[in-house]
Amino acid sequence: QLQLQESGPGLVKASETLSLTCTVSGGSISSNSYYWGWIRQPPGKGLEWIGSIYYSGSTYYNPSLKSRVSISVDTSKNHFSLKLSSVTAADTAVYYCARLSSAVGLSLDVWGQGTTVTVAS
Amino acid sequence: QSALTQPASVSGSPGQSITISCTGTSSDVGGYNFVSWYQQYPGKAPKLMIFDVSNRPSGVSNRFSGSKSGNTASLTISGLQAEDEADYYCSSFTSSSSWVFGGGTKLTVL
């Protein structure tokens, strides 16, 4: 059964770069049927799409975050990563990684449990 | 990109039906049949309930159904049950080759 697990620092200082990794287990990140994405949810608020990546390295970003976001993939380690630069308190959120599957119209069908990141001023 | 518009809250009694709307533009909801719906319980990751406007993933109850007209998509839950009380989010593919979520709707089962 496919599982995704987010990892990274839970506390980041304002103006620095947030870095998270999502490790995929129980399946290959290199399948041509899937993309891999990052989504976040500020405390008490709704979901926000951050971006997604294909195993070949093609990326697609939320235009609102594009200038600060970078998503990369490491097929040898079966994981993909998120970097968000110049963070502020507004970037405090639960960050989820998830799989986008062509079997369900590239919707998010498998999610990680989420990791809380707090930006300290 | 702007979030899709959903009502902040809806409510219904057990056994009734409710509908949650999700309004976007011709650059997202109206332009593509790639609308999804997610259910989220407090403190948990979202769960996919509907994809491609009206399709249910395996294992999702047929009490959940989706539709779309113009720039507005809808999620209908029939035979409301206490376990349906959760937050619901719509999502759509966009002309920017990204996805956008709605603001979320809190469903209360009375």
Side-chain angles (χ1 to χ4, degrees):
Chain A
Q1 182 179 354
L2 189 82
Q3 293 186 319
L4 283 69
Q5 178 67 59
E6 305 90 350
S7 60
L11 186 64
V12 181
K13 293 182 179 178
S15 79
E16 295 188 344
T17 296
L18 178 160
S19 296
L20 296 174
T21 294
C22 180
T23 300
V24 179
S25 58
S28 173
I29 203 170
S30 300
S31 170
N32 60 10
S33 297
Y34 309 122
Y35 286 71
W36 306 92
W38 288 98
I39 303 94
R40 70 180 182 178
Q41 185 170 34
K45 296 187 178 181
L47 301 169
E48 182 178 28
W49 180 271
I50 299 173
S52 61
I53 190 166
Y54 195 52
Y55 76 93
S56 63
S58 298
T59 52
Y60 306 88
Y61 297 135
N62 181 334
S64 302
L65 298 171
K66 189 173 184 177
S67 63
R68 299 195 293 129
V69 172
S70 176
I71 298 175
S72 59
V73 62
D74 188 331
T75 56
S76 67
K77 296 181 179 178
N78 222 39
H79 73 207
F80 61 106
S81 300
L82 168 71
K83 291 187 183 299
L84 181 66
S85 63
S86 304
V87 297
T88 69
D91 296 309
T92 293
V94 175
Y95 285 76
Y96 294 100
C97 61
R99 184 182 79 174
L100 296 80
S101 172
S102 60
V104 289
L106 289 181
S107 298
L108 302 155
D109 67 338
V110 180
W111 293 67
Q113 65 184 21
T115 187
T116 299
V117 178
T118 301
V119 177
S121 57
Chain B
Q1 59 191 13
S2 299
L4 306 176
T5 301
Q6 297 181 233
S9 63
V10 298
S11 63
S13 299
Q16 289 184 332
S17 295
I18 64 95
T19 297
I20 299 172
S21 61
C22 169
T23 301
T25 69
S26 59
S27 296
D28 38 65
V29 175
Y32 307 92
N33 285 325
F34 294 127
V35 176
S36 306
W37 289 90
Y38 299 88
Q39 176 191 63
Q40 186 182 34
Y41 293 115
K44 300 296 185 181
K47 174 187 176 182
L48 178 65
M49 304 302 284
I50 296 287
F51 68 95
D52 288 354
V53 175
S54 61
N55 293 302
R56 283 187 307 276
S58 174
V60 172
S61 171
N62 59 9
R63 297 186 299 105
F64 291 82
S65 62
S67 62
K68 190 184 86 167
S69 178
N71 294 338
T72 299
S74 298
L75 172 71
T76 297
I77 307 174
S78 59
L80 208 56
Q81 299 179 0
E83 67 199 49
D84 300 329
E85 185 163 296
D87 294 327
Y88 291 85
Y89 294 89
C90 62
S91 180
S92 174
F93 186 72
T94 80
S95 57
S96 303
S97 295
S98 64
W99 290 79
V100 63
F101 286 101
T105 298
K106 180 177 180 60
L107 169 61
T108 300
V109 180
L110 302 171

